[in-house]
Amino acid sequence: MASMKLTDLSSSTRTRLLPISRNPLLRGKQALIWHRRLVTPPNLSSRRTLTLSSSPSPSAIVTASLSTETSAKIIDGKAVAKTIREEIAAEVSRMKDAIGVVPGLAVIIVGDRKDSATYVRNKRKACESVGFKSCEVRLVEDSTEQQVLQHISEFNADPSVHGILVQLPLPSHMNEQNVLDAISIEKDVDGFHPLNIGGLAMRGREPLFVPCTPKGCIELLHRYNISIKGKRAVVIGRSNIVGMPAALLLQQEDATVSIIHSRTPNPEEFTKQADIIIAAVGKPNMVKGSWIKPGAVIIDVGINPVEDAESTRGYKLVGDVCFDEASKIASAITPVPGGVGPMTIAMLLSNTLAAAKRTYNFE
C-alpha cells in the first residue's frame, strides 16, 4: 500500500484534497477510492504533514498551502456529506437500472416546531438529490398517539417504503417509546429500536441500523483517517440519541471510552486525558480550551443558538465546544455549523439505502 504526504508550506492557497477513504457503498477493488474534490475548509496552520493511504501506486508529494489563525485541521462535514450523497446517488442509479427499484423514505412530523420543520425539509431535499422516493405525513400538535401509530402501521406494510422516521421530539401527551417501538426493525433507519440498540451494545452482534448522528461522527473520523483503536475517548452526554450510541461505537473501534454527564464532578479531568472528544450535551461553549489535551480530535455535535447583535437573525449557532479556544489546541475539530449536522442526514440516506438493498438482496 502506497502512501501520500500532504505538506502545507505557506499561506497562499485555500484548497486541499479530501482524505482518501474506503467507500462502504461499493465492493471489492472499487471500494478504495480517491476523493479528489477540492474543498475550501476553514483555515489550517502552515507546515502540517498528513500521511494518507492510497491504492497501490508510486508515492507522491502534493503541496498545498493554507492560511490560518488556528492550528487545528478542520473536519469538513459538509464536504464529506456531499461526497457520500454522490456515492449514494450512484448506487441508487445502479439499483434502479438493475431491478427497477429506488429506496423509499417516509417521515412523520407532529406539530409545527420550526426546527423540526427545517430538519424535515432538509431531509426531503436530500432524498430528492440522491433519487430516493420520499413521502411525508404532517399531523397537528393535538393529534392522538393512535393516529401516529396508524400511519406507522401503514408504512410498515408498504413495500415501497424502506425507511420510516418519526421526527422527534413528539408532543408531551405522546409516549415516545411506544411510537418508536412500533416501527418495524427492518425499517428503523433512525436506529432507535431497542433491538438495534441492543445489537449495537453486544459484542459479536450487528444492529441492522446505527443511529445517524453518532454514525456520522465515526464516519468523519474514518474519512479523515483518524485512528481510533487504542485511543482514549471521552463522550460528553449520555442521551439515547447521541451520547450512549457514540460511546458504544467508539468501544467497538477499540477505544478506551469514558462518558461524562451532568453528575460527573470535575469533567475537565477526564477531557484533559482524551485523544478524542465527542461533545453532545447541548450547552453552548461548555468545553473550554483548558479542558483539551494538546493534539486531541474534537467532534462537536452541539448546535446551540446564542444571541448575536451583529447577525440579521439576532443569533448565531455555536457548538458545545468553544471553537476559538479549542482550535488553537486540538489537532482536528468539526465546525458548527458545517460539521456533524450534514453528516446526520447523509447517514439517514445511507441507512435507507441499506434497508432497500437488504429487502431485495441487492449487493
Side-chain angles (χ1 to χ4, degrees), residues 12-338:
S12 59
T13 305
R14 293 178 177 270
T15 56
R16 64 182 171 81
L17 290 173
L18 282 174
I20 300 160
S21 65
R22 183 168 295 278
N23 179 355
L25 302 176
L26 302 177
R27 295 167 291 149
K29 293 182 179 179
Q30 291 179 316
L32 198 60
I33 64 171
W34 288 89
H35 292 302
R36 293 187 182 274
R37 181 174 309 279
L38 287 173
V39 298
T40 308
N43 297 329
L44 311 186
S45 65
S46 61
R47 300 216 47 99
R48 297 177 58 83
T49 300
L50 307 174
T51 300
L52 308 176
S53 297
S54 71
S55 54
S57 64
S59 61
I61 300 294
V62 176
T63 298
S65 303
L66 304 159
S67 63
T68 184
E69 296 177 355
T70 69
S71 63
K73 176 173 61 174
I74 301 302
I75 299 175
D76 190 343
K78 187 175 181 180
V80 174
K82 184 176 186 294
T83 298
I84 291 172
R85 290 196 304 272
E86 291 170 351
E87 295 166 1
I88 291 172
E91 282 296 280
V92 170
S93 179
R94 187 173 72 88
M95 188 175 182
K96 183 178 180 180
D97 291 343
I99 62 175
V101 172
V102 298
L105 176 66
V107 178
I108 300 172
I109 181 171
V110 184
D112 57 359
R113 285 176 58 110
K114 290 184 179 180
D115 56 348
S116 292
T118 298
Y119 294 149
V120 169
R121 182 172 63 252
N122 290 341
K123 289 166 185 173
R124 180 176 65 250
K125 290 179 179 179
C127 284
E128 293 171 356
S129 73
V130 298
F132 281 13
K133 170 189 173 183
S134 66
C135 56
E136 294 176 18
V137 171
R138 292 179 174 268
L139 300 174
V140 296
E141 182 81 15
D142 60 355
S143 298
T144 67
E145 182 178 313
Q146 187 56 43
Q147 287 176 292
V148 176
L149 293 174
Q150 179 60 37
H151 285 291
I152 291 174
S153 177
E154 292 171 1
F155 287 137
N156 280 340
D158 186 343
S160 69
V161 172
H162 307 103
I164 302 171
L165 181 148
V166 176
Q167 184 64 45
L168 302 178
L170 291 169
S172 58
H173 65 277
M174 295 186 183
N175 186 312
E176 184 178 291
Q177 180 176 329
N178 289 344
V179 170
L180 296 179
D181 288 357
I183 299 173
S184 168
I185 189 172
E186 290 84 6
K187 300 186 179 186
D188 173 41
V189 290
D190 249 346
F192 295 152
H193 194 286
L195 292 178
N196 276 322
I197 295 297
L200 183 62
M202 298 177 68
R203 289 179 62 83
R205 301 290 185 91
E206 288 290 336
L208 293 180
F209 305 103
V210 172
C212 300
T213 298
K215 181 179 179 180
C217 294
I218 302 301
E219 185 69 14
L220 282 175
L221 295 174
H222 287 169
R223 295 264 175 164
Y224 273 80
N225 292 326
I226 295 170
S227 175
I228 303 173
K229 184 176 182 178
K231 299 299 177 65
R232 291 183 179 182
V234 167
V235 177
I236 307 175
R238 53 179 174 177
S239 72
N240 289 334
I241 295 174
V242 182
M244 183 269 293
L248 292 172
L249 287 170
L250 288 165
Q251 186 170 281
Q252 284 188 355
E253 298 272 345
D254 294 324
T256 300
V257 184
S258 298
I259 301 175
I260 63 177
H261 46 77
S262 60
R263 300 295 185 267
T264 303
N266 303 316
E268 65 274 15
E269 293 181 4
F270 292 86
T271 57
K272 285 178 180 178
Q273 300 179 49
D275 302 303
I276 298 169
I277 297 174
I278 296 181
V281 71
K283 291 187 177 181
N285 296 321
M286 186 188 85
V287 179
K288 308 300 182 183
S290 60
W291 289 31
I292 297 169
K293 171 184 174 180
V297 174
I298 312 295
I299 304 295
D300 192 350
V301 180
I303 302 180
N304 309 291
V306 297
E307 290 185 6
D308 182 7
E310 296 181 2
S311 171
T312 56
R313 298 179 298 181
Y315 69 92
K316 64 178 179 179
L317 296 176
V318 301
D320 294 344
V321 179
C322 183
F323 183 87
D324 289 343
E325 295 180 11
S327 60
K328 295 178 174 65
I329 300 167
S331 63
I333 187 170
T334 57
V336 176

